[in-house]
Amino acid sequence: MKSLTSFARFVVLGGGTGVLSSLAVPLLAVLMPWTLSNALITLASTVLCTELHARYTFRTGRRAGLRRHWQSAGSAAAAYAATSVAVFALHAIQPTPGMLTEQLVYLSASGLAGTGRFVILRLFVFATGSGQETAKTTGSVHTPNMPKTASTAKTAKTADTNLPTKATTVPRPRRTPVTTGGLTAALSPS
């Protein structure tokens, strides 16, 4: 159910931004070449959508960050490539398709690419795994390659200030039995 709600928000926010972008491109094209206008609006709408998806669609509770912006831009570029390939394939099969056919192919490819983009954003870009959530709520972080010992330092973020804190534990001295059999036997008179 949570995925369906997220998908509905994804469609509304992404689709709404897409509609606004399609209106903004020709308005900006009055001042500059259409390709530059399209590039600027696409860049701005991708940044806006990534922020909206971070805050509302996937409810991460914080801004997207540079890494997520790059990943989202990559998924948007892949979706753009998929729709371009679909229209190119249509023109290869039928050199002069009607406007209705072209729109049908474009919108179908766009819908499939959008669904794929949602899956990528949900599973990879804005993923919140149970291990990550547990570390956030308990305040402990464990690196898989580090053994859990008494001397392992743990770094956590406090819930109130979101500032990093470092909790260290004092290592216990190692207790190993001391064998003096060899030395004692060598020094003791026989």
Side-chain angles (χ1 to χ4, degrees):
M1 187 66 178
K2 185 178 176 183
S3 292
L4 288 176
T5 307
S6 293
F7 186 70
R9 287 191 300 260
F10 177 81
V11 170
V12 168
L13 293 173
T17 304
V19 168
L20 291 176
S21 297
S22 69
L23 296 174
V25 169
L27 292 175
L28 191 59
V30 172
L31 304 173
M32 61 187 65
W34 188 88
T35 53
L36 181 59
S37 170
N38 187 31
L40 290 175
I41 294 298
T42 300
L43 178 68
S45 67
T46 301
V47 170
L48 176 62
C49 272
T50 302
E51 286 297 326
L52 290 173
H53 292 323
R55 293 179 186 198
Y56 302 109
T57 302
F58 301 108
R59 300 195 179 201
T60 62
R62 61 184 181 273
R63 296 191 62 173
L66 189 58
R67 179 185 64 82
R68 286 184 171 156
H69 276 289
W70 278 110
Q71 290 172 331
S72 180
S75 70
Y80 175 79
T83 56
S84 297
V85 166
V87 172
F88 178 75
L90 171 67
H91 284 274
I93 295 169
Q94 187 177 5
T96 56
M99 185 184 290
L100 183 62
T101 304
E102 192 173 60
Q103 282 291 53
L104 183 64
V105 167
Y106 174 78
L107 291 174
S108 298
S110 184
L112 288 172
T115 303
R117 187 164 185 254
F118 172 79
V119 170
I120 289 169
L121 292 176
R122 175 125 178 115
L123 296 178
F124 299 108
V125 179
F126 297 107
T128 55
S130 60
Q132 293 170 343
E133 292 301 317
T134 303
K136 287 179 188 175
T137 56
T138 61
S140 66
V141 176
H142 173 68
T143 307
N145 296 334
M146 288 178 59
K148 290 183 180 181
T149 62
S151 63
T152 303
K154 296 178 181 179
T155 305
K157 291 191 176 202
T158 60
D160 296 331
T161 60
N162 225 13
L163 296 174
T165 59
K166 191 162 187 166
T168 58
T169 56
V170 179
R172 287 197 220 165
R174 198 166 198 193
R175 296 181 188 210
T176 57
V178 178
T179 58
T180 57
L183 184 59
T184 307
L187 293 176
S188 65
S190 314

PDB file of all heavy atoms in Angstrom, residues 13-25 28 37-53 69 72-73 76 117:
ATOM      1  N   LEU A  13       3.358  14.654  -8.677  1.00  0.00           N
ATOM      2  CA  LEU A  13       4.428  15.659  -8.604  1.00  0.00           C
ATOM      3  C   LEU A  13       5.255  15.689  -9.883  1.00  0.00           C
ATOM      4  O   LEU A  13       5.540  16.767 -10.416  1.00  0.00           O
ATOM      5  CB  LEU A  13       5.323  15.378  -7.398  1.00  0.00           C
ATOM      6  CG  LEU A  13       4.659  15.568  -6.037  1.00  0.00           C
ATOM      7  CD1 LEU A  13       5.575  15.106  -4.925  1.00  0.00           C
ATOM      8  CD2 LEU A  13       4.263  17.016  -5.831  1.00  0.00           C
ATOM      9  N   GLY A  14       5.644  14.520 -10.380  1.00  0.00           N
ATOM     10  CA  GLY A  14       6.432  14.476 -11.609  1.00  0.00           C
ATOM     11  C   GLY A  14       5.630  14.933 -12.813  1.00  0.00           C
ATOM     12  O   GLY A  14       6.121  15.697 -13.654  1.00  0.00           O
ATOM     13  N   GLY A  15       4.374  14.482 -12.899  1.00  0.00           N
ATOM     14  CA  GLY A  15       3.515  14.891 -14.016  1.00  0.00           C
ATOM     15  C   GLY A  15       3.188  16.365 -13.963  1.00  0.00           C
ATOM     16  O   GLY A  15       3.191  17.052 -14.994  1.00  0.00           O
ATOM     17  N   GLY A  16       2.916  16.864 -12.766  1.00  0.00           N
ATOM     18  CA  GLY A  16       2.631  18.296 -12.620  1.00  0.00           C
ATOM     19  C   GLY A  16       3.814  19.154 -13.013  1.00  0.00           C
ATOM     20  O   GLY A  16       3.667  20.168 -13.713  1.00  0.00           O
ATOM     21  N   THR A  17       5.001  18.732 -12.598  1.00  0.00           N
ATOM     22  CA  THR A  17       6.205  19.466 -12.976  1.00  0.00           C
ATOM     23  C   THR A  17       6.438  19.372 -14.478  1.00  0.00           C
ATOM     24  O   THR A  17       6.853  20.347 -15.115  1.00  0.00           O
ATOM     25  CB  THR A  17       7.427  18.923 -12.210  1.00  0.00           C
ATOM     26  OG1 THR A  17       7.155  18.988 -10.810  1.00  0.00           O
ATOM     27  CG2 THR A  17       8.676  19.712 -12.505  1.00  0.00           C
ATOM     28  N   GLY A  18       6.135  18.213 -15.059  1.00  0.00           N
ATOM     29  CA  GLY A  18       6.275  18.047 -16.509  1.00  0.00           C
ATOM     30  C   GLY A  18       5.349  18.961 -17.281  1.00  0.00           C
ATOM     31  O   GLY A  18       5.744  19.562 -18.289  1.00  0.00           O
ATOM     32  N   VAL A  19       4.107  19.094 -16.815  1.00  0.00           N
ATOM     33  CA  VAL A  19       3.141  19.982 -17.485  1.00  0.00           C
ATOM     34  C   VAL A  19       3.606  21.434 -17.379  1.00  0.00           C
ATOM     35  O   VAL A  19       3.594  22.192 -18.363  1.00  0.00           O
ATOM     36  CB  VAL A  19       1.730  19.800 -16.891  1.00  0.00           C
ATOM     37  CG1 VAL A  19       0.786  20.895 -17.362  1.00  0.00           C
ATOM     38  CG2 VAL A  19       1.180  18.433 -17.256  1.00  0.00           C
ATOM     39  N   LEU A  20       4.037  21.836 -16.181  1.00  0.00           N
ATOM     40  CA  LEU A  20       4.544  23.209 -16.012  1.00  0.00           C
ATOM     41  C   LEU A  20       5.772  23.455 -16.886  1.00  0.00           C
ATOM     42  O   LEU A  20       5.932  24.530 -17.458  1.00  0.00           O
ATOM     43  CB  LEU A  20       4.857  23.477 -14.542  1.00  0.00           C
ATOM     44  CG  LEU A  20       3.664  23.558 -13.594  1.00  0.00           C
ATOM     45  CD1 LEU A  20       4.129  23.721 -12.152  1.00  0.00           C
ATOM     46  CD2 LEU A  20       2.746  24.703 -13.989  1.00  0.00           C
ATOM     47  N   SER A  21       6.633  22.452 -16.981  1.00  0.00           N
ATOM     48  CA  SER A  21       7.833  22.586 -17.817  1.00  0.00           C
ATOM     49  C   SER A  21       7.464  22.746 -19.277  1.00  0.00           C
ATOM     50  O   SER A  21       8.073  23.549 -19.993  1.00  0.00           O
ATOM     51  CB  SER A  21       8.730  21.364 -17.647  1.00  0.00           C
ATOM     52  OG  SER A  21       9.193  21.271 -16.332  1.00  0.00           O
ATOM     53  N   SER A  22       6.476  21.969 -19.726  1.00  0.00           N
ATOM     54  CA  SER A  22       6.085  22.064 -21.137  1.00  0.00           C
ATOM     55  C   SER A  22       5.484  23.428 -21.465  1.00  0.00           C
ATOM     56  O   SER A  22       5.546  23.872 -22.609  1.00  0.00           O
ATOM     57  CB  SER A  22       5.105  20.947 -21.492  1.00  0.00           C
ATOM     58  OG  SER A  22       3.865  21.148 -20.845  1.00  0.00           O
ATOM     59  N   LEU A  23       4.929  24.089 -20.461  1.00  0.00           N
ATOM     60  CA  LEU A  23       4.421  25.448 -20.674  1.00  0.00           C
ATOM     61  C   LEU A  23       5.541  26.487 -20.601  1.00  0.00           C
ATOM     62  O   LEU A  23       5.499  27.508 -21.278  1.00  0.00           O
ATOM     63  CB  LEU A  23       3.344  25.772 -19.637  1.00  0.00           C
ATOM     64  CG  LEU A  23       2.069  24.931 -19.684  1.00  0.00           C
ATOM     65  CD1 LEU A  23       1.162  25.265 -18.499  1.00  0.00           C
ATOM     66  CD2 LEU A  23       1.341  25.140 -20.999  1.00  0.00           C
ATOM     67  N   ALA A  24       6.547  26.213 -19.763  1.00  0.00           N
ATOM     68  CA  ALA A  24       7.623  27.184 -19.562  1.00  0.00           C
ATOM     69  C   ALA A  24       8.610  27.225 -20.728  1.00  0.00           C
ATOM     70  O   ALA A  24       9.187  28.275 -21.022  1.00  0.00           O
ATOM     71  CB  ALA A  24       8.366  26.874 -18.271  1.00  0.00           C
ATOM     72  N   VAL A  25       8.830  26.086 -21.397  1.00  0.00           N
ATOM     73  CA  VAL A  25       9.819  26.037 -22.484  1.00  0.00           C
ATOM     74  C   VAL A  25       9.489  27.037 -23.593  1.00  0.00           C
ATOM     75  O   VAL A  25      10.337  27.847 -23.975  1.00  0.00           O
ATOM     76  CB  VAL A  25       9.983  24.598 -23.038  1.00  0.00           C
ATOM     77  CG1 VAL A  25      10.799  24.593 -24.323  1.00  0.00           C
ATOM     78  CG2 VAL A  25      10.641  23.708 -22.001  1.00  0.00           C
ATOM     79  N   LEU A  28      10.071  30.682 -22.421  1.00  0.00           N
ATOM     80  CA  LEU A  28      11.482  31.052 -22.335  1.00  0.00           C
ATOM     81  C   LEU A  28      12.128  31.088 -23.721  1.00  0.00           C
ATOM     82  O   LEU A  28      13.084  31.838 -23.945  1.00  0.00           O
ATOM     83  CB  LEU A  28      12.226  30.074 -21.419  1.00  0.00           C
ATOM     84  CG  LEU A  28      13.639  30.429 -21.002  1.00  0.00           C
ATOM     85  CD1 LEU A  28      13.672  31.777 -20.255  1.00  0.00           C
ATOM     86  CD2 LEU A  28      14.217  29.344 -20.112  1.00  0.00           C
ATOM     87  N   SER A  37      16.511  26.838 -24.212  1.00  0.00           N
ATOM     88  CA  SER A  37      15.356  26.961 -23.331  1.00  0.00           C
ATOM     89  C   SER A  37      14.945  25.594 -22.788  1.00  0.00           C
ATOM     90  O   SER A  37      14.710  25.428 -21.586  1.00  0.00           O
ATOM     91  CB  SER A  37      14.192  27.596 -24.094  1.00  0.00           C
ATOM     92  OG  SER A  37      13.005  27.528 -23.357  1.00  0.00           O
ATOM     93  N   ASN A  38      14.876  24.612 -23.676  1.00  0.00           N
ATOM     94  CA  ASN A  38      14.511  23.254 -23.269  1.00  0.00           C
ATOM     95  C   ASN A  38      15.528  22.684 -22.284  1.00  0.00           C
ATOM     96  O   ASN A  38      15.158  22.059 -21.282  1.00  0.00           O
ATOM     97  CB  ASN A  38      14.383  22.353 -24.503  1.00  0.00           C
ATOM     98  CG  ASN A  38      13.850  20.992 -24.162  1.00  0.00           C
ATOM     99  OD1 ASN A  38      13.070  20.828 -23.232  1.00  0.00           O
ATOM    100  ND2 ASN A  38      14.265  20.000 -24.918  1.00  0.00           N
ATOM    101  N   ALA A  39      16.817  22.900 -22.551  1.00  0.00           N
ATOM    102  CA  ALA A  39      17.863  22.389 -21.661  1.00  0.00           C
ATOM    103  C   ALA A  39      17.767  23.022 -20.279  1.00  0.00           C
ATOM    104  O   ALA A  39      17.873  22.330 -19.254  1.00  0.00           O
ATOM    105  CB  ALA A  39      19.237  22.638 -22.270  1.00  0.00           C
ATOM    106  N   LEU A  40      17.564  24.340 -20.220  1.00  0.00           N
ATOM    107  CA  LEU A  40      17.479  25.025 -18.919  1.00  0.00           C
ATOM    108  C   LEU A  40      16.238  24.591 -18.132  1.00  0.00           C
ATOM    109  O   LEU A  40      16.319  24.339 -16.921  1.00  0.00           O
ATOM    110  CB  LEU A  40      17.463  26.538 -19.124  1.00  0.00           C
ATOM    111  CG  LEU A  40      18.775  27.164 -19.595  1.00  0.00           C
ATOM    112  CD1 LEU A  40      18.589  28.650 -19.878  1.00  0.00           C
ATOM    113  CD2 LEU A  40      19.862  26.960 -18.545  1.00  0.00           C
ATOM    114  N   ILE A  41      15.116  24.492 -18.800  1.00  0.00           N
ATOM    115  CA  ILE A  41      13.880  24.075 -18.125  1.00  0.00           C
ATOM    116  C   ILE A  41      13.991  22.616 -17.680  1.00  0.00           C
ATOM    117  O   ILE A  41      13.552  22.256 -16.583  1.00  0.00           O
ATOM    118  CB  ILE A  41      12.651  24.295 -19.026  1.00  0.00           C
ATOM    119  CG1 ILE A  41      12.440  25.790 -19.277  1.00  0.00           C
ATOM    120  CG2 ILE A  41      11.409  23.671 -18.422  1.00  0.00           C
ATOM    121  CD1 ILE A  41      12.165  26.614 -18.030  1.00  0.00           C
ATOM    122  N   THR A  42      14.596  21.770 -18.503  1.00  0.00           N
ATOM    123  CA  THR A  42      14.786  20.365 -18.128  1.00  0.00           C
ATOM    124  C   THR A  42      15.677  20.256 -16.898  1.00  0.00           C
ATOM    125  O   THR A  42      15.375  19.493 -15.972  1.00  0.00           O
ATOM    126  CB  THR A  42      15.390  19.561 -19.301  1.00  0.00           C
ATOM    127  OG1 THR A  42      14.496  19.635 -20.405  1.00  0.00           O
ATOM    128  CG2 THR A  42      15.621  18.121 -18.923  1.00  0.00           C
ATOM    129  N   LEU A  43      16.750  21.018 -16.870  1.00  0.00           N
ATOM    130  CA  LEU A  43      17.643  21.015 -15.709  1.00  0.00           C
ATOM    131  C   LEU A  43      16.913  21.487 -14.455  1.00  0.00           C
ATOM    132  O   LEU A  43      16.964  20.836 -13.405  1.00  0.00           O
ATOM    133  CB  LEU A  43      18.865  21.900 -15.986  1.00  0.00           C
ATOM    134  CG  LEU A  43      19.865  22.041 -14.840  1.00  0.00           C
ATOM    135  CD1 LEU A  43      20.560  20.720 -14.584  1.00  0.00           C
ATOM    136  CD2 LEU A  43      20.869  23.121 -15.162  1.00  0.00           C
ATOM    137  N   ALA A  44      16.214  22.603 -14.573  1.00  0.00           N
ATOM    138  CA  ALA A  44      15.495  23.150 -13.411  1.00  0.00           C
ATOM    139  C   ALA A  44      14.390  22.204 -12.946  1.00  0.00           C
ATOM    140  O   ALA A  44      14.220  21.984 -11.741  1.00  0.00           O
ATOM    141  CB  ALA A  44      14.904  24.515 -13.768  1.00  0.00           C
ATOM    142  N   SER A  45      13.665  21.607 -13.875  1.00  0.00           N
ATOM    143  CA  SER A  45      12.571  20.711 -13.475  1.00  0.00           C
ATOM    144  C   SER A  45      13.093  19.417 -12.868  1.00  0.00           C
ATOM    145  O   SER A  45      12.477  18.860 -11.955  1.00  0.00           O
ATOM    146  CB  SER A  45      11.650  20.419 -14.662  1.00  0.00           C
ATOM    147  OG  SER A  45      12.314  19.672 -15.638  1.00  0.00           O
ATOM    148  N   THR A  46      14.251  18.947 -13.329  1.00  0.00           N
ATOM    149  CA  THR A  46      14.842  17.736 -12.739  1.00  0.00           C
ATOM    150  C   THR A  46      15.282  18.005 -11.299  1.00  0.00           C
ATOM    151  O   THR A  46      15.043  17.186 -10.403  1.00  0.00           O
ATOM    152  CB  THR A  46      16.032  17.244 -13.585  1.00  0.00           C
ATOM    153  OG1 THR A  46      15.566  16.967 -14.909  1.00  0.00           O
ATOM    154  CG2 THR A  46      16.643  15.990 -13.007  1.00  0.00           C
ATOM    155  N   VAL A  47      15.898  19.157 -11.060  1.00  0.00           N
ATOM    156  CA  VAL A  47      16.302  19.526  -9.698  1.00  0.00           C
ATOM    157  C   VAL A  47      15.067  19.671  -8.803  1.00  0.00           C
ATOM    158  O   VAL A  47      15.024  19.150  -7.683  1.00  0.00           O
ATOM    159  CB  VAL A  47      17.143  20.825  -9.709  1.00  0.00           C
ATOM    160  CG1 VAL A  47      17.351  21.360  -8.300  1.00  0.00           C
ATOM    161  CG2 VAL A  47      18.480  20.580 -10.383  1.00  0.00           C
ATOM    162  N   LEU A  48      14.042  20.354  -9.315  1.00  0.00           N
ATOM    163  CA  LEU A  48      12.808  20.538  -8.553  1.00  0.00           C
ATOM    164  C   LEU A  48      12.143  19.198  -8.248  1.00  0.00           C
ATOM    165  O   LEU A  48      11.743  18.931  -7.109  1.00  0.00           O
ATOM    166  CB  LEU A  48      11.842  21.450  -9.313  1.00  0.00           C
ATOM    167  CG  LEU A  48      10.467  21.654  -8.671  1.00  0.00           C
ATOM    168  CD1 LEU A  48      10.591  22.332  -7.311  1.00  0.00           C
ATOM    169  CD2 LEU A  48       9.564  22.444  -9.598  1.00  0.00           C
ATOM    170  N   CYS A  49      12.038  18.347  -9.252  1.00  0.00           N
ATOM    171  CA  CYS A  49      11.409  17.026  -9.047  1.00  0.00           C
ATOM    172  C   CYS A  49      12.178  16.191  -8.037  1.00  0.00           C
ATOM    173  O   CYS A  49      11.573  15.503  -7.210  1.00  0.00           O
ATOM    174  CB  CYS A  49      11.316  16.275 -10.366  1.00  0.00           C
ATOM    175  SG  CYS A  49       9.824  16.630 -11.285  1.00  0.00           S
ATOM    176  N   THR A  50      13.496  16.229  -8.098  1.00  0.00           N
ATOM    177  CA  THR A  50      14.293  15.451  -7.146  1.00  0.00           C
ATOM    178  C   THR A  50      14.030  15.921  -5.724  1.00  0.00           C
ATOM    179  O   THR A  50      13.872  15.096  -4.813  1.00  0.00           O
ATOM    180  CB  THR A  50      15.791  15.552  -7.482  1.00  0.00           C
ATOM    181  OG1 THR A  50      15.985  15.087  -8.825  1.00  0.00           O
ATOM    182  CG2 THR A  50      16.634  14.710  -6.543  1.00  0.00           C
ATOM    183  N   GLU A  51      13.959  17.223  -5.514  1.00  0.00           N
ATOM    184  CA  GLU A  51      13.643  17.752  -4.182  1.00  0.00           C
ATOM    185  C   GLU A  51      12.236  17.347  -3.749  1.00  0.00           C
ATOM    186  O   GLU A  51      12.021  16.938  -2.608  1.00  0.00           O
ATOM    187  CB  GLU A  51      13.789  19.277  -4.150  1.00  0.00           C
ATOM    188  CG  GLU A  51      15.214  19.763  -4.142  1.00  0.00           C
ATOM    189  CD  GLU A  51      16.003  19.338  -2.918  1.00  0.00           C
ATOM    190  OE1 GLU A  51      15.437  19.241  -1.803  1.00  0.00           O
ATOM    191  OE2 GLU A  51      17.212  19.090  -3.076  1.00  0.00           O
ATOM    192  N   LEU A  52      11.280  17.469  -4.656  1.00  0.00           N
ATOM    193  CA  LEU A  52       9.902  17.081  -4.336  1.00  0.00           C
ATOM    194  C   LEU A  52       9.810  15.589  -4.015  1.00  0.00           C
ATOM    195  O   LEU A  52       9.133  15.194  -3.057  1.00  0.00           O
ATOM    196  CB  LEU A  52       8.959  17.430  -5.494  1.00  0.00           C
ATOM    197  CG  LEU A  52       8.706  18.916  -5.737  1.00  0.00           C
ATOM    198  CD1 LEU A  52       7.907  19.114  -7.023  1.00  0.00           C
ATOM    199  CD2 LEU A  52       7.991  19.546  -4.563  1.00  0.00           C
ATOM    200  N   HIS A  53      10.492  14.765  -4.808  1.00  0.00           N
ATOM    201  CA  HIS A  53      10.462  13.330  -4.556  1.00  0.00           C
ATOM    202  C   HIS A  53      11.141  12.984  -3.235  1.00  0.00           C
ATOM    203  O   HIS A  53      10.670  12.106  -2.511  1.00  0.00           O
ATOM    204  CB  HIS A  53      11.107  12.554  -5.701  1.00  0.00           C
ATOM    205  CG  HIS A  53      10.338  12.618  -6.980  1.00  0.00           C
ATOM    206  ND1 HIS A  53       8.958  12.602  -7.030  1.00  0.00           N
ATOM    207  CD2 HIS A  53      10.744  12.690  -8.269  1.00  0.00           C
ATOM    208  CE1 HIS A  53       8.561  12.663  -8.281  1.00  0.00           C
ATOM    209  NE2 HIS A  53       9.629  12.736  -9.066  1.00  0.00           N
ATOM    210  N   HIS A  69      20.807  13.946  -6.401  1.00  0.00           N
ATOM    211  CA  HIS A  69      20.513  14.748  -7.593  1.00  0.00           C
ATOM    212  C   HIS A  69      21.170  14.129  -8.823  1.00  0.00           C
ATOM    213  O   HIS A  69      20.556  14.054  -9.888  1.00  0.00           O
ATOM    214  CB  HIS A  69      20.957  16.195  -7.409  1.00  0.00           C
ATOM    215  CG  HIS A  69      19.950  17.038  -6.690  1.00  0.00           C
ATOM    216  ND1 HIS A  69      18.765  17.432  -7.257  1.00  0.00           N
ATOM    217  CD2 HIS A  69      19.950  17.549  -5.433  1.00  0.00           C
ATOM    218  CE1 HIS A  69      18.081  18.155  -6.394  1.00  0.00           C
ATOM    219  NE2 HIS A  69      18.770  18.234  -5.280  1.00  0.00           N
ATOM    220  N   SER A  72      19.326  10.876  -9.699  1.00  0.00           N
ATOM    221  CA  SER A  72      18.030  11.190 -10.279  1.00  0.00           C
ATOM    222  C   SER A  72      18.187  11.717 -11.701  1.00  0.00           C
ATOM    223  O   SER A  72      17.409  11.367 -12.593  1.00  0.00           O
ATOM    224  CB  SER A  72      17.296  12.212  -9.409  1.00  0.00           C
ATOM    225  OG  SER A  72      16.044  12.512  -9.954  1.00  0.00           O
ATOM    226  N   ALA A  73      19.198  12.547 -11.922  1.00  0.00           N
ATOM    227  CA  ALA A  73      19.453  13.057 -13.269  1.00  0.00           C
ATOM    228  C   ALA A  73      19.817  11.920 -14.211  1.00  0.00           C
ATOM    229  O   ALA A  73      19.400  11.903 -15.376  1.00  0.00           O
ATOM    230  CB  ALA A  73      20.570  14.098 -13.242  1.00  0.00           C
ATOM    231  N   ALA A  76      16.629  10.185 -15.101  1.00  0.00           N
ATOM    232  CA  ALA A  76      15.862  11.026 -16.027  1.00  0.00           C
ATOM    233  C   ALA A  76      16.461  10.956 -17.425  1.00  0.00           C
ATOM    234  O   ALA A  76      15.726  10.909 -18.428  1.00  0.00           O
ATOM    235  CB  ALA A  76      15.828  12.470 -15.531  1.00  0.00           C
ATOM    236  N   ARG A 117      11.602   4.505 -13.874  1.00  0.00           N
ATOM    237  CA  ARG A 117      12.296   5.547 -13.094  1.00  0.00           C
ATOM    238  C   ARG A 117      11.818   5.530 -11.647  1.00  0.00           C
ATOM    239  O   ARG A 117      12.609   5.673 -10.728  1.00  0.00           O
ATOM    240  CB  ARG A 117      12.044   6.915 -13.730  1.00  0.00           C
ATOM    241  CG  ARG A 117      12.845   8.008 -13.090  1.00  0.00           C
ATOM    242  CD  ARG A 117      12.893   9.256 -13.945  1.00  0.00           C
ATOM    243  NE  ARG A 117      13.776  10.192 -13.298  1.00  0.00           N
ATOM    244  CZ  ARG A 117      13.362  11.282 -12.645  1.00  0.00           C
ATOM    245  NH1 ARG A 117      12.088  11.573 -12.629  1.00  0.00           N
ATOM    246  NH2 ARG A 117      14.232  12.065 -12.055  1.00  0.00           N
TER     247      ARG A 117
END
